Amino acid sequence: MQNSESLQFVDENLEKTDTNEQLTASVDNEPNREQDNDMLASEERTGYKAADSKYAWVIVVCAAFNTFCTMGIANSFGVFSTYYINFIYPKVSTASIAWIGTMLTVLMMGGAIFTGPLTDKFGFRAVALVGTSVCSLSLLLASFTNALWQLVLTQGIMFGIGSACIYSPSISLPSQWHTKNRPLATGIVAAGGGAGGMVFTEITQKMMETIGYKWTLRALALILLCVSGTMGMFYKRRMPVPRGGIDFIAVARDIRLVAVGMGGFFVNTCYFILFYYLPTAALKIGQSKQASNNLVVYMNAGSTTGRILAAYVSGGTGPINSCIVAYAICAVLIAVVMLVVKSMAGYIVLAVIYGMLCSSYVSITPLVLTNIFGPQLVTTAAGIVNMWCSVGVLIGNPSQGAIYQHFDRPVDSFKAITFWGFSGLVLSTLSYILLKWLVTRETQQHMWSIL
């Protein structure tokens, strides 16, 4: 009961804040201004600006560059993985080397659960800059390693923790600064990660061929330090932390957040299936290695544009509705193309549409959480949802490999792994249907309402 009352108090406080967007008006209209400012980091005591101001777009640009760097470098690990497997640690199992990428992804997403409380206490700028320092240092240290466990510790664990301090605040901060253009702003920031994946993968490959993997790591560390270090300096909170702080337990136990978390969990148990196995499926039907690998490029390109379009379209259709439709379409497509069509044309269509729709959770989830909890609580709520997603990655990636190895590879098939992907997407769709039912039940709206 106490947790419910606390969350209700925060919601009420948020409503009051949202109805008075001009927080920089007069001191007489802000009796609690001094008390709110005492809770903020020093760089955020300069006053709160109005939503949709020019500075709001500065935040979007900076956040987009930060996701561009962190997600781009994280997604370029595939290049390093290939090099480690074939040249540095050829006698070590691929499963052992895969722990570098697994820990990086899990901690980048799961570590976000701590970024909400940290940004509330120290400010977005301080947390992002600390994350930049940790990420840069991790890549620098990785360039001096001579054992696999050292790479797991630096390029995997350390970089994952640092990137969590950059990624989660970058995704959630634009929601505080935008009201009219919130979907577009969030989509642009999310698209930065997709674009970074394409650019940094190509850059990393070129550098590996010319200067070697150790100097490539050092170059990436310098790029990240310069770009993210500069962008993080412009981070700034627009809204004050609610008096008394945020009741983390009350937010985490909210059944609506649990439904969003379940949706993210199920998506991430199967999200990487096509990235890992669609090129292999293309090879099986006689396509060249280059043509097969291009399917991953198509998915990344679709992901980049899809994150912007999904956020923009959700402004008219509703973010919850958008997730339901997107995951339902992906579930049908993956089943039909992988089991029935089995042609390169079908694989290309699947790669583009899947990339556009399935990654929409990256840009739409912040909108869903902002609509439910408000911009003041979105960082905390997003961190909790990312924790759900990280558990999905931790369970999904090893499970996919085991399923393919045990059921599909011996018979030269993709049926089992396709069923796993189909099931995950269907369960994610059902999770968002549950969320919509919970929201309509509280607001007395209909299930067909735009939500």
Side-chain angles (χ1 to χ4, degrees):
M1 179 66 70
Q2 186 176 358
N3 286 340
S4 299
E5 292 174 354
S6 178
L7 185 57
Q8 183 180 3
F9 168 77
V10 171
D11 289 337
E12 292 173 353
N13 186 56
L14 174 61
E15 291 175 3
K16 295 176 183 177
T17 304
D18 284 340
T19 57
N20 185 22
E21 292 291 340
Q22 299 291 340
L23 291 176
T24 57
S26 65
V27 176
D28 292 336
N29 292 330
E30 296 180 299
N32 296 316
R33 172 68 176 275
E34 182 178 354
Q35 189 174 8
D36 286 332
N37 284 348
D38 289 340
M39 299 179 184
L40 301 177
S42 59
E43 87 273 14
E44 293 172 339
R45 291 178 180 168
T46 56
Y48 306 112
K49 297 180 181 294
D52 302 311
S53 62
K54 292 182 179 179
Y55 198 82
W57 290 108
V58 174
I59 293 293
V60 170
V61 172
C62 293
F65 270 105
N66 268 340
T67 58
F68 177 85
C69 287
T70 52
M71 292 296 293
I73 293 176
N75 289 337
S76 68
F77 172 72
V79 179
F80 286 101
S81 178
T82 301
Y83 193 82
Y84 295 154
I85 291 171
N86 293 287
F87 301 104
I88 307 301
Y89 302 107
K91 296 182 180 180
V92 178
S93 68
T94 56
S96 298
I97 295 175
W99 274 107
I100 303 173
T102 298
M103 294 307 298
L104 189 160
T105 304
V106 167
L107 290 174
M108 179 173 64
M109 302 178 73
I113 196 171
F114 302 106
T115 60
L118 287 174
T119 53
D120 291 338
K121 186 173 183 178
F122 301 107
F124 284 87
R125 183 184 304 163
V127 173
L129 291 178
V130 168
T132 299
S133 301
V134 172
C135 285
S136 299
L137 181 60
S138 70
L139 295 174
L140 181 62
L141 292 176
S143 70
F144 293 100
T145 59
N146 52 25
L148 180 60
W149 69 267
Q150 295 170 347
L151 281 174
V152 174
L153 180 62
T154 55
Q155 194 174 4
I157 295 174
M158 193 172 173
F159 187 88
I161 293 173
S163 59
C165 294
I166 304 174
Y167 177 70
S168 183
S170 298
I171 288 292
S172 57
L173 183 57
S175 294
Q176 284 196 6
W177 284 88
H178 288 271
T179 54
K180 296 179 182 178
N181 299 304
R182 183 175 290 159
L184 178 61
T186 304
I188 291 173
V189 174
M198 292 188 294
V199 173
F200 272 98
T201 298
E202 186 67 22
I203 290 175
T204 301
Q205 182 66 54
K206 296 297 183 183
M207 288 195 296
M208 293 272 280
E209 295 172 355
T210 54
I211 61 177
Y213 88 96
K214 289 190 174 183
W215 277 104
T216 298
L217 286 168
R218 294 163 192 164
L220 291 176
L222 182 60
I223 293 172
L224 181 62
L225 181 64
C226 293
V227 176
S228 290
T230 302
M231 297 300 106
M233 291 296 295
F234 292 93
Y235 276 19
K236 190 175 184 180
R237 181 188 302 278
R238 190 185 75 83
M239 292 183 173
V241 178
R243 287 171 298 165
I246 294 174
D247 192 335
F248 180 87
I249 301 300
V251 176
R253 294 177 60 183
D254 191 298
I255 188 64
R256 298 168 298 178
L257 186 67
V258 173
V260 178
M262 288 171 56
F265 168 81
F266 288 122
V267 165
N268 280 277
T269 58
C270 62
Y271 176 74
F272 294 101
I273 283 179
L274 291 188
F275 285 87
Y276 295 160
Y277 299 105
L278 191 59
T280 303
L283 287 172
K284 296 292 184 182
I285 61 172
Q287 296 297 314
S288 66
K289 184 177 180 181
Q290 182 64 45
S292 301
N293 289 333
N294 283 342
L295 291 171
V296 177
V297 177
Y298 301 148
M299 280 187 278
N300 281 323
S303 175
T304 302
T305 57
R307 293 179 187 192
I308 298 178
L309 291 175
Y312 183 76
V313 170
S314 70
T317 62
I320 300 178
N321 293 340
S322 298
C323 286
I324 293 172
V325 173
Y327 299 144
I329 292 175
C330 286
V332 173
L333 271 178
I334 195 173
V336 171
V337 175
M338 294 297 288
L339 298 179
V340 180
V341 177
K342 296 182 180 180
S343 68
M344 192 59 183
Y347 290 163
I348 293 174
V349 172
L350 174 61
V352 174
I353 297 179
Y354 181 85
M356 292 182 65
L357 296 180
C358 200
S359 63
S360 61
Y361 79 92
V362 178
S363 57
I364 294 181
T365 299
L367 301 176
V368 174
L369 297 176
T370 303
N371 289 345
I372 295 175
F373 297 101
Q376 285 177 309
L377 301 183
V378 67
T379 304
T380 299
I384 297 170
V385 170
N386 281 335
M387 184 65 189
W388 280 84
C389 294
S390 70
V391 176
V393 173
L394 187 61
I395 294 175
N397 284 1
S399 298
Q400 294 166 24
I403 290 171
Y404 178 74
Q405 187 72 24
H406 185 73
F407 295 103
D408 287 337
R409 193 170 187 178
V411 295
D412 202 22
S413 170
F414 295 93
K415 290 182 180 180
I417 199 68
T418 299
F419 179 76
W420 175 272
F422 174 81
S423 301
L425 290 167
V426 168
L427 290 172
S428 182
T429 303
L430 294 176
S431 297
Y432 275 94
I433 292 175
L434 172 63
L435 172 64
K436 187 169 185 181
W437 178 78
L438 292 170
V439 172
T440 55
R441 184 185 62 173
E442 294 183 359
T443 58
Q444 296 182 346
Q445 294 176 288
H446 300 290
M447 283 294 290
W448 55 84
S449 300
I450 297 177
L451 292 172

